[in-house]
Amino acid sequence: MLQQSSSSQDILTFICLICSKEKELVAVGECEHRSVCSYCTMKSRLHYDYKKCPICLKLLDIIFICELNDKTPYKTLVSKKDEFYQDEEFEKCGIYYTTIEGKEEALKLRGYNCPIKNCYSKSFESMDSLSKHLNKKHKKFYCQYCLEQNKLFISQMKIYNKSNLNAHIKYGEYDGNQLVCPPHPSCPFDNNTFYDEEQLFKHMNSDHFICQICRDKKNYIFFSELQNLLAHHKSNHYCCPYEECLADIYVVYKKEEELISHLITKHKIQNASERLNKLIFDKKKEDENKELHHENGEFNFTEYIKDLKEQSEYHNKNEQYAFNNSNEQYYDEYEDYNYNHN
């Protein structure tokens, strides 16, 4: 939908199909649909690697960011592409800017600029140099987990003092009652911290051991070492007492009937139900003095995430979240580098 801006210059604007904001710069691809703004185009291509038109779903390898009143056909834009400005990450996003204003808007959004007002050291060549400047000069910090995983541009990232950063990591961040950034959970075995529960869950599955029986019950319990998992199997589930099966983490059952069936088919035991109690009793007696105490190697992921969310909600409700309160004390120090229309 087209409309005239209320500014004195009466700049032609439109409402972006994706973000529903009033914009001036539009993306043009081979399909000629002109309905998505420059910001949403950059975000979908750089953060989500999505290059299809939202209307016709045609894959668009190359996109031109134009002023709305520029009606140049796509084929003509392609023929003149050497006259335009390539995005700094063109190989990844395939974006050309037909005006210097479009390129500058992208640089402002994604550039490594110090967000502190009246700072003389404004621009930096890398994220590392900007972070070092903020730490040393202003005693402010970015959240490294958000930098790695959050789908925001650098100019949209918040900075924190040390206490606010710790609160942000522990409790996440809210806009009113809406969680906008999750608490950053940690692995209890190696102390690695992750952006959200999905990233932690991937880590736990790849680097540690999970009980498949508990998992089937939607109770995700992980173990630091294999022997901790085996001890859990013996204490909580039905394990085959024979040595050839004890070392196999997959020979464990939910029900006694399943184990009895295994004993009959695998080990050819007759009267398996009667002999099972003696076999298990003898095995437990044998292991009494050598069985590992495994509680320290056990991590109930399900309970941990539940507690994390409850703590986050409680903190937001009763403390009004420490970062939002203290942020007001130094808010005026910041240059407004955030993309104001998003």
Side-chain angles (χ1 to χ4, degrees):
M1 179 172 61
L2 302 182
Q3 58 188 55
Q4 292 290 331
S5 169
S6 59
S7 69
S8 59
Q9 297 180 347
D10 285 335
I11 298 172
L12 191 63
T13 62
F14 75 106
I15 302 301
C16 174
L17 178 68
I18 295 178
C19 66
S20 299
K21 302 292 185 180
E22 184 179 344
K23 299 300 181 68
E24 300 171 10
L25 299 177
V26 67
V28 182
E30 186 179 2
C31 62
E32 295 283 0
H33 288 125
R34 299 172 185 242
S35 56
V36 179
C37 70
S38 57
Y39 171 81
C40 291
T41 298
M42 283 188 285
K43 187 169 185 177
S44 63
R45 288 174 168 259
L46 290 168
H47 288 165
Y48 296 95
D49 195 28
Y50 188 84
K51 298 180 179 180
K52 292 183 179 181
C53 171
I55 295 179
C56 64
L57 300 183
K58 181 178 180 61
L59 180 63
L60 305 174
D61 293 323
I62 295 177
I63 280 286
F64 294 89
I65 302 299
C66 309
E67 292 181 341
L68 190 61
N69 58 3
D70 183 353
K71 303 301 182 182
T72 306
Y74 174 81
K75 289 184 179 180
T76 305
L77 291 173
V78 171
S79 68
K80 297 169 61 178
K81 67 179 186 298
D82 292 339
E83 302 175 17
F84 303 139
Y85 306 91
Q86 274 193 2
D87 189 89
E88 298 296 321
E89 298 181 68
F90 179 80
E91 294 299 322
K92 183 176 181 179
C93 66
I95 295 177
Y96 284 99
Y97 303 93
T98 63
T99 65
I100 188 62
E101 290 79 11
K103 180 67 177 290
E104 288 175 345
E105 182 186 67
L107 290 175
K108 181 179 178 181
L109 187 65
R110 292 151 51 195
Y112 303 115
N113 301 316
C114 178
I116 303 296
K117 188 176 182 179
N118 298 325
C119 177
Y120 294 105
S121 304
K122 295 306 293 183
S123 299
F124 298 86
E125 294 183 355
S126 67
M127 187 67 239
D128 184 59
S129 58
L130 171 57
S131 293
K132 287 180 179 178
H133 163 78
L134 279 171
N135 299 350
K136 184 176 181 180
K137 179 74 174 176
H138 306 293
K139 303 295 188 252
K140 300 294 188 293
F141 306 87
Y142 285 108
C143 172
Q144 67 181 79
Y145 312 111
C146 288
L147 286 176
E148 294 170 0
Q149 296 292 334
N150 204 340
K151 305 299 186 182
L152 293 175
F153 293 112
I154 185 63
S155 64
Q156 299 171 310
M157 291 288 183
K158 288 187 176 180
I159 59 174
Y160 308 84
N161 62 32
K162 199 163 187 179
S163 62
N164 288 337
L165 178 60
N166 291 334
H168 163 83
I169 291 172
K170 185 174 182 180
Y171 301 113
E173 213 161 314
Y174 285 79
D175 181 4
N177 292 322
Q178 179 68 39
L179 182 68
V180 294
C181 181
H184 302 322
S186 298
C187 171
F189 302 142
D190 51 33
N191 295 320
N192 287 325
T193 301
F194 300 87
Y195 177 71
D196 58 14
E197 63 180 275
E198 180 181 352
Q199 294 296 320
L200 174 60
F201 190 72
K202 289 179 181 178
H203 165 78
M204 300 305 299
N205 274 294
S206 63
D207 287 34
H208 303 294
F209 302 90
I210 187 171
C211 175
Q212 296 294 337
I213 301 297
C214 293
R215 179 174 186 165
D216 291 343
K217 300 176 182 178
K218 305 301 181 183
N219 189 27
Y220 301 102
I221 301 178
F222 291 92
F223 300 86
S224 57
E225 304 293 341
L226 179 59
Q227 59 264 35
N228 301 129
L229 173 59
L230 296 176
H232 167 81
H233 282 170
K234 294 177 186 177
S235 301
N236 297 274
H237 305 301
Y238 294 91
C239 300
C240 177
Y242 286 93
E243 288 294 337
E244 61 186 287
C245 294
L246 281 174
D248 189 340
I249 62 173
Y250 297 105
V251 184
V252 58
Y253 302 95
K254 299 178 186 178
K255 301 176 181 179
E256 181 178 332
E257 307 90 83
E258 296 173 338
L259 174 56
I260 291 173
S261 176
H262 163 80
L263 292 172
I264 294 172
T265 56
K266 173 70 176 179
H267 302 289
K268 311 301 181 185
I269 294 181
Q270 301 299 319
N271 300 319
S273 181
E274 295 178 7
R275 296 189 60 186
L276 178 61
N277 289 333
K278 184 177 187 303
L279 283 166
I280 293 178
F281 175 78
D282 289 344
K283 188 61 186 172
K284 283 185 176 179
K285 188 175 181 180
E286 178 185 330
D287 291 342
E288 259 180 2
N289 297 320
K290 66 177 183 180
E291 183 151 338
L292 293 172
H293 181 69
H294 65 277
E295 288 183 357
N296 291 332
E298 179 177 319
F299 172 54
N300 191 316
F301 178 88
T302 305
E303 290 298 321
Y304 172 73
I305 294 299
K306 179 182 176 182
D307 291 344
L308 198 66
K309 290 179 178 178
E310 288 178 352
Q311 291 172 16
S312 175
E313 291 170 359
Y314 179 84
H315 186 269
N316 178 62
K317 181 179 179 180
N318 295 281
E319 305 294 334
Q320 297 299 310
Y321 192 48
F323 171 76
N324 289 333
N325 290 335
S326 60
N327 186 42
E328 295 177 0
Q329 299 172 13
Y330 56 83
Y331 179 80
D332 290 338
E333 298 178 15
Y334 298 113
E335 184 80 60
D336 183 15
Y337 277 104
N338 286 349
Y339 196 83
N340 296 325
H341 299 302
N342 293 281

